Amino acid sequence: MQARLLLEDGTLFTGLAFGAEGQSAGEVVFNTGITGYQEVISDPSYCGQIVTMTYPLVGNYGISRDDFESVRPYIHGFVVRRHEPVPSNWRAQYTLDRLLKEYGIIGISDIDTRMLTRILRHHGTMKGILTTGSERVEELRERLDLTPLMRDQVARTSTKSIFSSPGDGERIVLIDYGAKSGILRELTRRGCDVVVVPHDATADEIRRLAPDGIQLSNGPGDPKDAPQAVATLKELLGEFPIFGICLGHQLFALACGADTTKLKFGHRGGNHPVKELATNRCYITSQNHGYTVLEDSIAGTKLEVTHINNNDRTIEGLRHTEFPAFTVQYHPEAAPGPFDSSYLFDQFLDMIRDHKRSHPKKPRQAELAERQRGELQYAQK
């Protein structure tokens, strides 16, 4: 079956269809990773986007549910140079084609993804429409013009209710803006008692859970589309240690008075070099974002830049100069991906322990009782 991809600049790609049939529109972006297509497809940060893989062969190791980063995929389309329908991997449970069919996602293969990537790098990300139908190009262009880009991705991808992953260590409230499972995995691996709350949890609701620290997750879309999250962080800043990742980094910056802007074509892939300014060391990082914190907006805030991108010098890390809080734009939890930056979770826990030593809390029994009351009140909400 034939499939077509039409960009808003009029460029038309014609290839072979796999996955679901139908029509779907979204922002067309590209990922530079050479592996990890399962993580890409299941990363909630791609919600509403048509994702192009720059590595030419995709599908060759099939699909394993153990490698998913969310309950379901949220992408609006998948573009590859070559789709391998018969995987060779003892862990594979089924094929990429079956996964896309299961969730109604259209795939297109056998197009020039190098050309598509060059267009997006030159002109920037743009809207596109994927179809397996026989509509005239004029009809597709009209449909594309009338279809706005999605603006409520965080609400779509966030958990709707509180849940926990018990542990014997520090209690971490993970605010879910569209969190990858890897963040929860890294925290529980370190023995943390993790409580995951929806994106719209209020500051008072979070306080009632009596956290030792707050983890801000990744997520999709423009951080300015989540003003309630920014307002909540303003209330919590200085009260609890905070560690933010990706969208959490951007929301934290907005809460501290900085500003964000959209990048021309974003950073997406597992091979982005980032320099840590304190050590002058370069880390290879996994990234997936289309927005960045404006460097000029840091002046006048109580934020300090800790990391920069070696390719375009954009901000990749921030630290609050008064309160125990730091954030990074990249993904230290990425898997598959480089493991260079997983130490940041250890830094977060060290920061929490330092804060607890300087701010003694209630006796353990009273603290546990308060946490249980908070969870009960949240559940009853």
Side-chain angles (χ1 to χ4, degrees):
M1 181 185 296
Q2 187 183 83
R4 290 175 294 163
L5 170 64
L6 177 68
L7 302 181
E8 63 178 308
D9 70 348
T11 306
L12 179 68
F13 294 88
T14 301
L16 300 178
F18 66 102
E21 299 178 26
Q23 188 180 102
S24 182
E27 183 182 34
V28 184
V29 301
F30 64 88
N31 181 289
T32 58
I34 64 173
T35 186
Y37 59 81
Q38 290 184 97
E39 183 178 20
V40 170
I41 292 171
S42 60
D43 183 349
S45 295
Y46 283 110
C47 178
Q49 295 178 328
I50 296 172
V51 183
T52 303
M53 300 299 292
T54 55
Y55 189 72
L57 178 62
V58 176
N60 52 311
Y61 53 83
I63 297 294
S64 169
R65 277 289 177 176
D66 292 341
D67 297 329
F68 261 48
E69 288 294 329
S70 62
V71 175
R72 57 152 299 151
Y74 293 95
I75 63 171
H76 277 198
F78 201 48
V79 183
V80 302
R81 177 68 185 91
R82 177 185 167 189
H83 164 237
E84 176 52 64
V86 183
S88 177
N89 176 9
W90 66 271
R91 296 178 67 246
Q93 296 168 306
Y94 46 90
T95 65
L96 173 59
D97 178 66
R98 177 181 158 187
L99 173 75
L100 298 189
K101 281 186 168 70
E102 181 179 345
Y103 291 101
I105 300 167
I106 302 169
I108 181 172
S109 68
D110 290 75
I111 70 166
D112 190 345
T113 52
R114 286 170 62 91
M115 175 184 173
L116 174 56
T117 302
R118 286 172 67 90
I119 290 173
L120 297 178
R121 283 182 59 88
H122 181 72
H123 297 287
T125 57
M126 61 182 78
K127 284 196 299 182
I129 189 166
L130 260 177
T131 183
T132 59
S134 56
E135 305 92 342
R136 293 183 299 112
V137 173
E138 291 76 15
E139 294 176 30
L140 291 175
R141 184 174 291 114
E142 182 179 358
R143 174 70 181 274
L144 184 58
D145 290 340
L146 294 174
T147 304
L149 289 176
M150 190 181 293
R151 306 295 298 189
D152 61 342
Q153 296 102 311
V154 169
R156 289 172 182 258
T157 57
S158 173
T159 181
K160 301 299 185 287
S161 58
I162 183 174
F163 67 92
S164 63
S165 178
D168 296 326
E170 288 75 11
R171 166 162 284 202
I172 308 298
V173 166
L174 168 58
I175 306 179
D176 179 6
Y177 304 120
K180 290 170 60 181
S181 299
I183 297 176
L184 181 60
R185 181 173 59 244
E186 290 292 339
L187 292 171
T188 55
R189 182 179 293 165
R190 290 163 172 80
C192 296
D193 179 26
V194 185
V195 181
V196 184
V197 300
H199 71 100
D200 56 356
T202 66
D204 283 340
E205 289 168 341
I206 291 171
R207 288 186 186 106
R208 285 200 294 268
L209 296 172
D212 295 312
I214 297 174
Q215 175 81 64
L216 313 179
S217 84
N218 65 290
D222 185 344
K224 293 177 181 175
D225 288 343
Q228 182 178 347
V230 175
T232 298
L233 292 180
K234 285 181 179 179
E235 286 193 58
L236 297 172
L237 187 61
E239 196 169 339
F240 304 98
I242 294 175
F243 173 30
I245 293 173
C246 199
L247 182 65
H249 158 85
Q250 297 162 9
L251 293 170
F252 173 78
L254 292 174
C256 293
D259 197 10
T260 58
T261 189
K262 188 170 185 178
L263 292 166
K264 185 176 181 180
F265 48 80
H267 302 154
R268 299 174 178 90
N271 46 11
H272 292 259
V274 167
K275 183 166 76 171
E276 184 179 52
L277 298 181
T279 62
N280 213 33
R281 178 177 176 180
C282 179
Y283 293 90
I284 300 302
T285 68
S286 179
Q287 304 202 8
N288 178 15
H289 60 275
Y291 292 81
T292 186
V293 177
L294 282 167
E295 184 177 5
D296 293 344
S297 72
I298 298 298
T301 70
K302 295 179 180 178
L303 295 175
E304 175 183 74
V305 177
T306 58
H307 298 74
I308 59 170
N309 189 294
N310 278 353
N311 289 332
D312 62 10
R313 316 303 289 178
T314 53
I315 292 174
E316 293 282 355
L318 293 169
R319 183 183 72 85
H320 201 282
T321 56
E322 289 188 8
F323 303 134
F326 71 95
T327 62
V328 291
Q329 180 64 83
Y330 50 95
H331 288 264
E333 84 291 344
F339 299 112
D340 305 35
S341 302
S342 60
Y343 73 94
L344 292 171
F345 291 97
D346 298 315
Q347 279 192 2
F348 179 39
L349 295 181
D350 289 341
M351 183 175 70
I352 289 173
R353 289 161 191 154
D354 289 342
H355 182 75
K356 288 171 73 174
R357 280 192 290 269
S358 58
H359 297 76
K361 299 182 73 172
K362 300 172 184 176
R364 181 67 174 170
Q365 270 189 320
E367 183 182 343
L368 290 174
E370 182 179 346
R371 289 175 175 179
Q372 289 169 354
R373 285 196 300 273
E375 290 178 9
L376 180 61
Q377 291 172 348
Y378 204 116
Q380 290 172 341
K381 173 194 171 187

